[in-house]
Amino acid sequence: LTTLLSWGTPLLAAEAKVNLTTRSRIIAAVAAIFFFVLVLDLIRRRKLQERYTVVWFILAVGLLAGGVFPQLLETLANILGVRDTNAALFALLLLLLLALAFESTITASRQGEQITRLAQENALLKLREADRKTGAAAEDDES
Amino acid sequence: MLASSRDQQSQTLIFLPAWNEGESITTVIADVQAELPEATILVVDDGSHDDTVDAARQAGAEVAVLPFHIGLGAALQTGYRYAQENGFKYFAHLDSDGQHPPNQLMRILEPTWTNSADLVLGSRFTQEGDTPGSEFRSSPLRRVWIHILARLVTGIHGQRFTDITSGFRAGNHRAIDLFTQIYQPDFGEIEAVQTALARRLRVKEVPVVMLRRELGESYLTALPSIRFMFKAFLNLMVGRFRGTAH
């Protein structure tokens, strides 16, 4: 019960904690900046639609923030009850990727429906066009 | 034939979803023409890579060609759309592999023409057992499966069904309007019935004689049946509560 009541405070405070090393922080920050530039460049070259970029910007900003302010990740690790900040980072990334994959499936479903609709309308249009042509040809024959 | 029946025939669209049925479709179309000379026949080709399209045109049917293979539901919905766009009041659809004999069409069309049902399902079973004269014998596993599904739908909706996955169906403009809006691109048969019931359409099951599949592959065996079962169960669970707005 006491452990439940102390929710929010580190559960394993007594144990030694593993924090991010300076090197991993620098790598994260550099990767974030690189990624940021990449996304901007893809938008500039019209290879990526703006509406799909929000989440990627959030990812880049999050990565940068994690590198610059390691306390953020440490707080997160505490909330999750993880001793190793790196593990917290991985957990966060995994969740984010899961969310992204899920979002893609939703998009794919919507687009599948749209494609079906297009295919059906295409089939009916072509049929109507063919019937119109044969109808016109029949009239020509009569006259 | 009664005069009124002739009028209704000319307001009826018979459509056949087809996927690589070039060998059987000619006969089926000819049989439908003999049975219902006034009706319009539409073949919806679901991305066949054999001569289905040419064979159907030769036989004198209208042919709508989907640009690639999508699924039975998408092909059926194309038929419903055609019916709606061209103002047909009644429809019937049957498989193009010869499994649904055209001489049974009158049996399923009759309740819609006499306005005693909005959607009619041709069933290979009666309430007691197989429809007399039916040659159709599916594998024991599949029979069990069909019965389980029928029982479930019966339990959920409080109306007795024996052959809920039957692709031999007829109906009127109410069903056409509904299915034009909502139809699952694959394995949509059960949900279609559920949607119809939810919209208070009068759904009726009529015993018909079905034949053994002559040629071609069944949509059901061609796709992993595990997926089908999963989807059927999911639809049964969700179908009732699903929003009808689309």
Side-chain angles (χ1 to χ4, degrees):
Chain A
L1 190 71
T2 26
T3 14
L4 278 176
L5 288 174
S6 65
W7 180 254
T9 61
L11 297 179
L12 299 160
E15 311 259 350
K17 292 209 275 184
V18 182
N19 287 330
L20 294 181
T21 61
T22 312
R23 182 179 295 182
S24 65
R25 287 173 56 194
I26 291 170
I27 291 173
V30 170
I33 290 164
F34 178 76
F35 192 64
F36 209 75
V37 172
L38 180 72
V39 172
L40 281 177
D41 189 51
L42 283 174
I43 296 174
R44 189 183 62 81
R45 289 191 287 144
R46 297 180 197 286
K47 296 236 162 138
L48 201 61
Q49 286 186 26
E50 282 90 343
R51 59 172 154 162
Y52 297 122
T53 55
V54 180
V55 69
W56 296 117
F57 276 126
I58 293 172
L59 185 76
V61 171
L63 203 60
L64 192 63
V68 178
F69 310 106
Q71 310 89 287
L72 287 175
L73 272 173
E74 283 156 27
T75 314
L76 181 83
N78 272 345
I79 292 170
L80 291 176
V82 192
R83 236 184 315 152
D84 189 335
T85 315
N86 294 291
L89 181 64
F90 275 105
L92 186 70
L93 279 175
L94 270 177
L95 275 178
L96 194 74
L97 285 177
L98 213 61
L100 275 175
F102 197 63
E103 209 263 337
S104 314
T105 328
I106 294 169
T107 308
S109 303
R110 192 188 58 235
Q111 290 178 340
E113 219 167 88
Q114 291 167 337
I115 290 167
T116 299
R117 182 80 192 252
L118 275 176
Q120 291 172 335
E121 280 179 7
N122 173 277
L124 292 176
L125 262 176
K126 274 190 172 167
L127 173 58
R128 205 180 304 151
E129 180 72 1
D131 282 351
R132 206 178 53 81
K133 270 187 191 153
T134 49
E139 267 175 39
D140 285 352
D141 286 350
E142 279 167 30
S143 60
Chain B
M1 190 183 296
L2 296 167
S4 63
S5 166
R6 280 191 85 82
D7 285 348
Q8 284 165 324
Q9 244 192 67
S10 60
Q11 294 170 326
T12 303
L13 176 73
I14 310 292
F15 59 97
L16 304 97
W19 182 31
N20 299 328
E21 308 283 7
E23 288 178 62
S24 57
I25 196 140
T26 311
T27 325
V28 180
I29 292 171
D31 289 351
V32 176
Q33 284 163 338
E35 192 68 22
L36 300 160
E38 307 289 324
T40 303
I41 303 171
L42 170 75
V43 171
V44 182
D45 177 70
D46 188 12
S48 297
H49 38 76
D50 66 352
D51 62 340
T52 301
V53 174
D54 289 337
R57 282 203 184 113
Q58 288 279 312
E62 297 281 303
V63 187
V65 187
L66 291 170
F68 36 78
H69 179 64
I70 308 178
L72 179 58
L76 287 173
Q77 197 178 36
T78 311
Y80 289 121
R81 290 219 157 120
Y82 182 90
Q84 196 189 46
E85 281 179 15
N86 295 282
F88 284 96
K89 282 192 179 152
Y90 309 98
F91 75 90
H93 60 74
L94 64 157
D95 286 0
S96 36
D97 59 4
Q99 173 183 181
H100 303 144
N103 62 23
Q104 301 290 303
L105 275 169
M106 284 300 211
R107 282 205 197 175
I108 59 169
L109 277 167
E110 206 258 350
T112 72
W113 285 347
T114 57
N115 193 26
S116 61
D118 300 312
L119 177 66
V120 183
L121 318 177
S123 169
R124 71 202 92 180
F125 314 109
T126 62
Q127 308 284 4
E128 288 80 39
D130 289 341
T131 304
S134 196
E135 280 179 37
F136 189 93
R137 292 285 179 277
S138 32
S139 69
L141 185 71
R142 188 151 167 223
R143 288 173 73 90
V144 169
W145 173 236
I146 288 171
H147 281 299
I148 291 173
L149 281 179
R151 279 283 161 81
L152 276 171
V153 177
T154 304
I156 293 173
H157 292 279
Q159 183 178 340
R160 189 125 190 233
F161 291 102
T162 58
D163 196 1
I164 197 79
T165 57
S166 162
F168 194 32
R169 295 181 175 181
N172 61 15
H173 58 95
R174 291 188 67 192
I176 292 172
D177 290 346
L178 177 61
F179 295 147
T180 301
Q181 290 170 47
I182 305 168
Y183 213 101
Q184 290 281 305
D186 55 356
F187 304 141
E189 296 89 343
I190 300 170
E191 204 198 326
V193 176
Q194 288 188 300
T195 319
L197 290 168
R199 289 283 183 93
R200 307 233 174 281
L201 264 64
R202 295 163 298 164
V203 185
K204 193 173 178 178
E205 209 173 47
V206 170
V208 291
V209 175
M210 288 195 195
L211 301 177
R212 213 173 284 116
R213 305 178 50 79
E214 282 169 1
L215 297 154
E217 270 176 284
S218 161
Y219 272 97
L220 268 189
T221 52
L223 288 154
S225 35
I226 298 277
R227 225 189 103 208
F228 171 74
M229 288 187 208
F230 173 74
K231 231 201 118 164
F233 270 119
L234 195 67
N235 280 346
L236 280 174
M237 299 308 127
V238 181
R240 259 210 107 162
F241 310 103
R242 217 167 189 171
T244 39
H246 243 243

